[in-house]
Structures are given as structure tokens and as C-alpha cells.
Amino acid sequence: GHARVDVSELEDSTELFSSGLVDSFAMVDLLQFLEKHTGSRMGPEDINLDNLDSIERILTFAASRTK
């Protein structure tokens, strides 16, 4: 799949999912990317807007999961 969002134009704090910029299909890609990147499995408890709703949050979350 290809993102329909130009990531370079996003602010780090732009809400991705709650704003509707990114759909649930992209969420799946994102989770797969994070699992590869961090080497840890994402569980349902990890998949929430607090962790994933902006680039800033995603990076912070990924960093916290990276061994």
C-alpha cells in the first residue's frame, strides 16, 4: 500500500488517526513496521491513540519498545 499522506508536510504532533488523515489499513502497516523496528510484538493494549496518533507519539512509543 502507499500512503496518501505526504509525511514531509506533517507536524510531529499532527493527529494521524483521529483526524482521519490515516486509515486503519495504514495502522496495520505501521504496526508491522514498529514490530520489525523494535523487535517486539505489539499487543492490543499497545494499539491506541495515546501511542500512535502522531509521529511524535509513534517515535516515543517505538523508542520505549526498542530493546
Side-chain angles (χ1 to χ4, degrees):
H2 61 280
R4 288 170 291 288
V5 181
D6 182 351
V7 182
S8 63
E9 291 180 4
L10 292 178
E11 299 293 322
D12 282 352
S13 57
T14 300
E15 292 178 346
L16 302 176
F17 296 98
S18 53
S19 68
L21 261 179
V22 180
D23 62 21
S24 55
F25 294 110
M27 172 78 86
V28 175
D29 289 342
L30 173 62
L31 291 171
Q32 289 171 337
F33 168 79
L34 283 173
E35 289 185 348
K36 274 189 212 133
H37 180 74
T38 62
S40 70
R41 296 288 301 162
M42 300 294 150
E45 70 283 356
D46 298 315
I47 303 167
N48 59 60
L49 295 178
D50 286 342
N51 289 339
L52 303 174
D53 205 22
S54 70
I55 293 172
E56 197 172 46
R57 291 178 186 194
I58 291 164
L59 292 176
T60 301
F61 175 61
S64 75
R65 295 295 295 261
T66 303
K67 296 175 180 55

